[in-house]
Amino acid sequence: MNWLLAKQIRGRLTAWYVGVLAAILATYLVVVFLFQYRIVASQIYHDEVQDVETVEGLLYFESNGKLQLQQNYFSRPQSHLLIDRLMEVRDLSGAVLYRTPNLGGVSLGGSTMPGEGDSSFNQRIVRMPDGSHVSLISHLHTLQGHVLLIRLGYSLVPFHQRMKQFLGILLLAFPVALILAGIAGYQIAKRAFVPLEEMARKAKQITASNLHDRLRIADANDELGHMGQAFNELLDRLEQAFQQLNSFTADAAHELRTPLAAIRAVGEVSLQQPATSERGKEAVVSMLEEASRLDETISGLLLLARAERAGAVGPNRFSLVDVVHEVAEVLEVLAEERRIRLVTSVRDEEHNAVVTGDRSLIRSAIMNVVHNAIKFSPVDSTVQITYSVSDTASRTIEVVVQDQGPGIPLAEVDAVFGRFYTGSSKNGHESQSTGLGLSIAKLVVERSGGEIRFDRHTQTGARCVIRLPAHHLRETS
């Protein structure tokens, strides 16, 4: 799945989007955390300064010289300003004059440091014997003629715990935000590429038979529209070149027929001349054979050019079973000459299914296949033509031509439909073949919306299967 996403552009875009977003979010989280840490630390400092100033107003010396802190300024114990504060007051000699009970007799900040608290509110972080850290403020204050060093500290344990919770929330939201952003980014990229997928699907449907089709462009001003326009312009050039090639083939074939007919006429006249020597007659006969072969090739090229111009749906609607019978009657003479039995088996004829297309082209396609089977069949063999109708959802007409010849090697099953392909015939018929019959049949059948193939699993001979779409079965039954 990951490999598939990496192969898709939208997958790579999503990965880049998530990666960039992760970098931005990580930077943002670090900045937010540091900013929040600095704000809270600054707030603690200000609170400590205010507490020191408050303490300065609450300290007093008793008559016996003992330093005390007024405890009657609050109304409730939970409102005590210094209930969770750590405080220690010393004189300039370092003697401790007052210490809050929550210190448990432990010194706050150690011995007095030189110049501590003499200028302003000195802040530092100290470590207590239990390992916890305290934010400590030191300040000198004069009370009743005595200079006092006031130390007031906040335990940083609650602060660190809250910052850890805040960091945990940020880290938990980080992957969730990435996953949601990745899903949203993938969907956005997928939606953005919908027009491209439609163009690709349409482009796959464009073949030589429908070169006139063009891609549908939703917006000609965006990048996909520019690409679609460029592809349509390419199709314009291809269609024009294709039409020129077909026209050239047809024109060249027409131009060749006239001199070829003249050559054949001259040759036939020469054969009838008694003065022609035997060697000359052999040369003329050979020339006429080649001329006949060239004529067949030209006929095939003309037929190909005509089939190329034909659309998938022709103007005629006709019964294919009639065409099969007609082909069998025409080729029966040739089969008898070669001592081959031509057997036609029609199934489901009562459906009277019809096909739509160019009747003469389809007739030529079937005739080429049957003629090819007769040509490669041995003497005293059978060529079976089977016609059947499939009354399923596909609604197809199937014509199967089965011979008892040498068959087709598996490596050549598809190649036999190539133009001018004569292959490696086992009966030595390749020299008599133009190599266009099966290619014409394939072109015509496919232009008619059908398919033609040789069965790869046939054990004896060759089995050619032609399928054409049936139309209006119920209307004509």
Side-chain angles (χ1 to χ4, degrees), residues 116-178:
E116 179 179 356
D118 58 351
S119 60
S120 180
F121 297 91
N122 299 128
Q123 184 189 32
R124 57 193 170 102
I125 305 298
V126 298
R127 181 170 182 174
M128 302 300 290
D130 60 356
S132 63
H133 290 82
V134 172
S135 174
L136 180 64
I137 292 290
S138 300
H139 184 64
L140 290 177
H141 175 64
T142 301
L143 177 65
Q144 297 176 358
H146 300 275
V147 179
L148 304 177
L149 175 62
I150 302 175
R151 287 178 170 177
L152 190 141
Y154 278 16
S155 175
L156 294 178
V157 173
F159 168 63
H160 288 163
Q161 289 177 345
R162 291 181 180 179
M163 292 309 298
K164 287 181 180 178
Q165 293 174 353
F166 180 63
L167 180 61
I169 293 174
L170 292 179
L171 294 178
L172 180 64
F174 181 73
V176 175
L178 286 183

Side-chain angles (χ1 to χ4, degrees), residues 217-426:
I217 300 174
D219 187 354
N221 297 320
D222 60 13
E223 291 81 357
L224 294 180
H226 295 164
M227 188 191 73
Q229 286 180 330
F231 191 83
N232 285 340
E233 291 173 0
L234 174 64
L235 289 176
D236 290 339
R237 296 192 294 272
L238 285 177
E239 184 181 15
Q240 184 177 4
F242 202 70
Q243 291 176 349
Q244 289 177 350
L245 181 61
N246 286 336
S247 299
F248 172 78
T249 302
D251 295 342
H254 277 296
E255 292 298 326
L256 288 174
R257 273 199 154 177
T258 301
L260 190 60
I263 292 173
R264 293 185 62 181
V266 171
E268 290 172 355
V269 170
S270 298
L271 284 178
Q272 296 174 359
Q273 297 298 324
T276 305
S277 63
E278 290 298 324
R279 190 170 182 177
K281 288 183 178 179
E282 292 178 358
V284 171
V285 169
S286 177
M287 180 190 69
L288 289 176
E289 290 178 350
E290 292 300 323
S292 177
R293 187 170 179 274
L294 280 174
D295 185 64
E296 292 180 4
T297 303
I298 291 172
S299 298
L301 290 174
L302 283 171
L303 199 57
L304 272 175
R306 182 184 170 193
E308 292 281 5
R309 292 193 297 269
V313 179
N316 303 322
R317 181 177 300 170
F318 54 92
S319 172
L320 192 62
V321 67
D322 294 340
V323 175
V324 171
H325 287 310
E326 187 176 327
V327 169
E329 290 176 1
V330 171
L331 294 178
E332 190 172 2
V333 176
L334 176 63
E336 289 177 355
E337 290 178 354
R338 295 182 55 83
R339 294 165 54 190
I340 295 171
R341 293 182 298 278
L342 190 60
V343 179
T344 303
S345 174
V346 178
R347 303 172 185 172
D348 304 322
E349 188 176 3
E350 65 278 10
H351 287 282
N352 195 21
V354 298
V355 296
T356 300
D358 192 313
R359 189 179 189 281
S360 63
L361 286 177
I362 293 178
R363 177 179 178 275
S364 298
I366 297 176
M367 182 169 291
N368 285 343
V369 173
V370 178
H371 183 270
N372 195 68
I374 294 174
K375 184 170 59 178
F376 286 91
S377 294
V379 177
D380 295 329
S381 64
T382 301
V383 172
Q384 178 79 35
I385 306 175
T386 305
Y387 169 93
S388 62
V389 177
S390 173
D391 192 13
T392 61
S394 60
R395 306 175 74 181
T396 58
I397 297 175
E398 183 176 274
V399 178
V400 178
V401 180
Q402 170 79 55
D403 63 45
Q404 296 176 335
I408 301 174
L410 287 178
E412 300 180 11
V413 167
D414 296 325
V416 294
F417 292 106
R419 295 181 182 182
F420 300 107
Y421 184 85
T422 54
S424 56
S425 172
K426 298 178 181 179

